[in-house]
Amino acid sequence: MFYREDECGRNQLFFDCSLPGKSRFMTSNKVIFAGHSVGGAHAQAAACGFDELKKIGGKTGKPFNPIIYDREFLPVSSEPLSEWEPAHRASPVGLLQLSPVDQYFPLVAPGMQPYREALSVKPMPIVMAVGECDCPSLLSSTPPAWQENTDKPTQFKQLAPAGGNSWAVAARIAKGSHCGYLTEPDTLCQVSDSEKECNLCPGIAPYPPDGDESAFTTELFRRFIALNSKRNEGKGSRNEWLTSPFISWLNKQSPDGTVKLLPFRSGQYIDYAGAETMQKAQGAGIP
């Protein structure tokens, strides 16, 4: 209730009306959603925004209109999220997914496909990073995060369908593991990246946590946040995003001078809807 200015009349005798302003830790409701592994797939849903979550939930039989409870001292709850002012709800302005893993089990876990399809038409910067040696994301996920030369569904194809105007881009990290992004070791990740569990990169030592891939990820976040801090929500275009300083930095063999990316069939180090078509047009001299 301290974050809600319209709550300043509660407990009038003791409540300090200046507290809501002092307690705010955000200067706006603009939010970049991010996640790793299963959290990367869940971030795809969150990045759709409240209205889209509610709409998709209605269609899939999973209504979304949460209430927040605070039970630390007295049972206090918020109004349903649908009754909040839009300015008090998160306004997604970007999505960054690190080796997303979707889990699809009929009737139990329906997967994130409806949310990816909603994001595919949302004019918003989206980045998917996948490691070369990333078995959970490339093999175990349903569907895989990314695959080359396949007609089967992938998360990235659903995010950036051929011929679409999706802003989603993908990057593949050479020697990238499932957990090299992390700043400290994790037992579950150590199992997923072990040679016993993953044979994608025989003879190659993938990045461990708190190493070069982790430092690259920190710089990736820093630049993505900086770009979104400068742009106003609802402004800009897909072309401006694809020619932005962030994409210019990412679309290199080694953006940070240490970690290397793998090229796509277009010859670029990022993939996006229409990348190969655009490259062929530029090769033919078409601006």
Side-chain angles (χ1 to χ4, degrees):
M1 65 181 177
F2 290 103
Y3 301 141
R4 302 281 306 281
E5 290 186 11
D6 58 358
E7 297 280 11
C8 67
R10 191 188 293 260
N11 299 331
Q12 293 181 8
L13 186 61
F14 302 105
F15 193 78
D16 182 352
C17 291
S18 66
L19 278 178
K22 293 178 181 177
S23 300
R24 290 183 184 275
F25 65 96
M26 297 174 65
T27 57
S28 79
N29 65 339
K30 293 167 59 177
V31 177
I32 294 172
F33 285 95
H36 167 252
S37 192
V38 174
H42 290 170
Q44 296 167 357
C48 289
F50 173 73
D51 290 334
E52 196 64 37
L53 281 170
K54 199 165 183 293
K55 179 180 175 182
I56 294 173
K59 292 179 179 178
T60 57
K62 299 185 181 299
F64 182 79
N65 194 16
I67 294 174
I68 298 174
Y69 289 91
D70 175 7
R71 298 177 183 271
E72 289 187 7
F73 181 60
L74 294 174
V76 177
S77 65
S78 72
E79 297 88 348
L81 208 58
S82 61
E83 297 181 19
W84 290 31
E85 293 292 332
H88 291 151
R89 296 196 295 252
S91 176
V93 295
L95 170 63
L96 213 165
Q97 321 149 72
L98 307 174
S99 293
V101 175
D102 201 354
Q103 296 178 314
Y104 175 78
F105 303 104
L107 302 178
V108 179
M112 300 290 114
Q113 181 176 348
Y115 305 98
R116 287 190 290 272
E117 291 174 347
L119 287 173
S120 71
V121 295
K122 190 176 179 70
M124 182 176 73
I126 299 174
V127 176
M128 176 188 289
V130 182
E132 176 186 14
C133 312
D134 183 2
C135 282
S137 187
L138 297 178
L139 299 180
S140 303
S141 175
T142 307
W146 185 91
Q147 280 186 352
E148 192 171 32
N149 300 326
T150 179
D151 294 328
K152 296 180 180 179
T154 67
Q155 292 184 53
F156 189 68
K157 281 184 178 180
Q158 292 168 353
L159 278 170
N165 292 315
S166 168
W167 290 27
V169 302
R172 294 189 299 160
I173 301 172
K175 299 196 304 181
S177 65
H178 188 62
C179 301
Y181 312 99
L182 305 183
T183 55
E184 58 183 53
D186 176 86
T187 303
L188 186 60
C189 273
Q190 287 176 319
V191 172
S192 356
D193 282 334
S194 68
E195 291 185 10
K196 182 180 178 181
E197 297 291 333
C198 184
N199 297 308
L200 266 180
C201 298
I204 295 178
Y207 289 115
D210 196 23
D212 290 338
E213 189 176 12
S214 179
F216 166 76
T217 305
T218 299
E219 183 64 11
L220 183 77
F221 268 94
R222 188 187 72 79
R223 290 174 178 267
F224 192 67
I225 292 170
L227 175 72
N228 280 278
S229 297
K230 292 175 182 176
R231 71 183 286 270
N232 294 320
E233 183 184 357
K235 294 186 179 180
S237 66
R238 179 176 186 263
N239 185 60
E240 288 173 341
W241 156 242
L242 292 176
T243 57
S244 67
F246 173 84
I247 292 295
S248 298
W249 171 80
L250 184 62
N251 194 13
K252 297 175 185 174
Q253 184 181 33
S254 181
D256 69 342
T258 302
V259 169
K260 292 185 178 180
L261 302 184
L262 297 172
F264 293 91
R265 288 187 297 181
S266 65
Q268 301 185 66
Y269 291 92
I270 58 168
D271 193 18
Y272 52 90
E276 292 183 54
T277 303
M278 184 177 291
Q279 194 73 1
K280 289 176 183 177
Q282 290 173 346
I286 302 173

